[in-house]
Amino acid sequence: MTTYTRPPAKPCIPYPAGRATPLAVTVNDLSVLAIARRLHDEKCRERGICPRRDGHALDSFETAIRKTLGALVDASVAQEI
């Protein structure tokens, strides 16, 4: 039996005020899937070899990603960010 060991957590280092990298992303199904895959691969023990990778990723993260991207678009349009 193979024992799973979680890799060490990456440190979260916030950007200094005014120095964040601008981000431009096309909000569509492909971008949602790409983000979901990355989040999936951080959490799933089988990572990139998961036989249900895309379905598993979307089942787990699609709703949250769509809400987050929608909120970012709305905030940008309202010039809040």
Side-chain angles (χ1 to χ4, degrees):
M1 185 170 100
T2 304
T3 302
Y4 171 74
T5 305
R6 183 174 296 278
K10 297 175 186 174
C12 179
I13 303 169
Y15 285 101
R19 302 190 98 187
T21 303
L23 174 67
V25 63
T26 301
V27 180
N28 60 20
D29 291 340
L30 186 57
S31 61
V32 170
L33 178 59
I35 295 166
R37 282 178 180 155
R38 289 188 174 259
L39 294 172
H40 166 271
D41 291 352
E42 287 183 14
K43 297 295 180 187
C44 181
R45 282 188 275 164
E46 296 178 8
R47 290 183 166 45
I49 62 168
C50 178
R52 290 193 57 243
R53 184 181 185 207
D54 289 354
H56 194 199
L58 291 173
D59 288 347
S60 300
F61 301 106
E62 181 179 17
T63 301
I65 293 167
R66 288 189 186 278
K67 286 182 178 180
T68 300
L69 291 175
L72 287 169
V73 168
D74 292 344
S76 178
V77 169
Q79 298 183 346
E80 296 171 346
I81 58 172

